[in-house]
Amino acid sequence: MATTAVPELAPLHPPRGPRPEVPAAASGPPSLRLPAAAAALPALGMSAAGPERPQVVAHVQQSLSYTVFDCKWVPRSARLLCLGSAPRGTGVLQLYELRGGRLLLLSEIEKAKPIKCATFGAASLQQRHLATGDFAGSLSIWNLEAPEIPVYSVKGHKEIINSIDGVGGLGIGEGAPEIVTGSRDGTVKVWDPRQKETPVANMEPAQGESKRDCWTVAFGNAYNQEERVVCAGYDNGDIKLFDLKTMSLRWETNIKNGVCSVEFDRKDVNMNKLVATSLEGKFHVFDMRTQHPTKGFASVSEKAHKSTIWQVRHLPQNRDVFMTSGGAGSLHLWKYEYPAQRSKKDSEGAEMGVAGSVSLLQNVTLSTQPISSLDWSPDKKGLCVCGAFDQTVRVLIVTKLNKV
């Protein structure tokens, strides 16, 4: 593969001021060739000695001068982005590179409004443009080589964009590149970056219905040019599955507590599993292969953390392994086990799903504050980054994942 260098950006001076408290407004959560040091990372902690269970090793941690809301690996690189809110109420976007045992700050850009969430999901591997949602309800797409002015921007929502996801980029998912945003204004909107101003789909409360704060959104089922769904989770426990092919509500349920994070195990396959996390420390795994006419999708739930589960992220190299991050600063690594039969017939002969089980592989406490963001490296198995409200970003290595 030909390598494409992303030039370093001139760093700005870091914002000055006191360390901020977590803003109440937040609801819910390089070159293509890796440097030699990063390429060697998975070998760390992989000795034959010790338990066979995966171990979570804190490799690097970096203190920040702002509240971090999201962190993302730059695809095909050893670089990562951190973004959030500066003490004076502006947005911050920092680009770091992992070099050996430390994070080197390559650039820092300040924006007018705090940035809540980001995704590379609709970007090509050549461009690797970053899409962000901010506190003012604006969706922006940035070229990291020249991030001063967005290459695309739209005032997408009336209030903060809590969550964003992308599909059709990075070689993941069939069909057009699209971005979905979920907001406190109660709407979920799907955007095609090639179409200015107007969303290609707008899911909003029906007339007379009260609006609910949408905390999380995720794409799925993008296995061909026509099929695509969006799953959205809301503050009242609602989970809604929107079919973008038929422009209809395909399924909905309620898990009785605010839905903090939803994610399909893969975006680019026929719907397989969906994990939803909640405020009260519980997560639900839905088997999405079989939808019963009245009972919907089979599920299994697990009380995982003593407090809010802020995020769930599936391991890119193994869709049955996923990690959850908690409000008490902990990470839990899980594995889903399929049942002997994934479906059966009910008394009336209708197909219904059968849920599997989940087992805890490992857990670790890294902070006293919530871990609000989490991202696996798409390129190096076991390499992940997380950001917490103690204003620290941590690079972690999870070992022995080949043995689970």
Side-chain angles (χ1 to χ4, degrees), residues 88-109:
R88 54 176 169 263
T90 54
V92 180
L93 196 156
Q94 289 185 320
L95 179 65
Y96 286 92
E97 184 169 81
L98 185 61
R99 290 190 186 173
R102 65 192 184 101
L103 285 174
L104 177 66
L105 179 63
L106 301 181
S107 68
E108 179 174 333
I109 303 295

Side-chain angles (χ1 to χ4, degrees), residues 58 60-62 366-367 384-388 390 392-396:
V60 184
Q61 69 177 44
Q62 177 73 38
L366 299 173
S367 172
C384 68
V385 61
C386 64
D390 60 2
T392 304
V393 62
R394 295 171 173 87
V395 175
L396 311 172

Side-chain angles (χ1 to χ4, degrees), residues 218 231 239 241 251 262-265 272-276 284-288 314:
C231 186
I239 298 175
L241 186 69
W251 168 73
V262 293
E263 188 180 58
F264 290 94
D265 56 358
N272 187 55
K273 298 193 305 295
L274 172 78
V275 177
H284 304 255
V285 185
F286 295 90
D287 187 307
M288 305 297 287
H314 289 84

Side-chain angles (χ1 to χ4, degrees), residues 19-20 61-71 82-84 92 94 96 103 105 386-388 390-394:
R19 293 170 68 90
Q61 69 177 44
Q62 177 73 38
S63 295
L64 307 172
S65 60
Y66 60 93
T67 301
V68 59
F69 288 128
D70 206 354
C71 47
C82 299
L83 47 91
V92 180
Q94 289 185 320
Y96 286 92
L103 285 174
L105 179 63
C386 64
D390 60 2
Q391 295 187 303
T392 304
V393 62
R394 295 171 173 87

Side-chain angles (χ1 to χ4, degrees), residues 35 56 80 98 106 108 110 146 183 194 204 226 283:
V56 181
L80 59 91
L98 185 61
L106 301 181
E108 179 174 333
E110 193 168 0
S183 168
R194 302 167 301 180
E204 58 187 357
E226 290 82 31
F283 68 82

Side-chain angles (χ1 to χ4, degrees), residues 333-392:
L333 186 69
W334 305 88
K335 184 176 183 184
Y336 183 83
E337 303 284 351
Y338 294 98
Q341 282 188 300
R342 291 186 66 177
S343 66
K344 63 182 181 180
K345 292 188 184 296
D346 67 6
S347 58
E348 298 179 355
E351 286 287 330
M352 62 187 296
V354 178
S357 61
V358 289
S359 57
L360 180 65
L361 298 177
Q362 191 55 269
N363 66 289
V364 63
T365 299
L366 299 173
S367 172
T368 58
Q369 298 297 315
I371 297 175
S372 58
S373 58
L374 178 65
D375 193 37
W376 291 102
S377 168
D379 307 303
K380 302 301 292 185
K381 183 189 283 191
L383 186 63
C384 68
V385 61
C386 64
F389 284 152
D390 60 2
Q391 295 187 303
T392 304

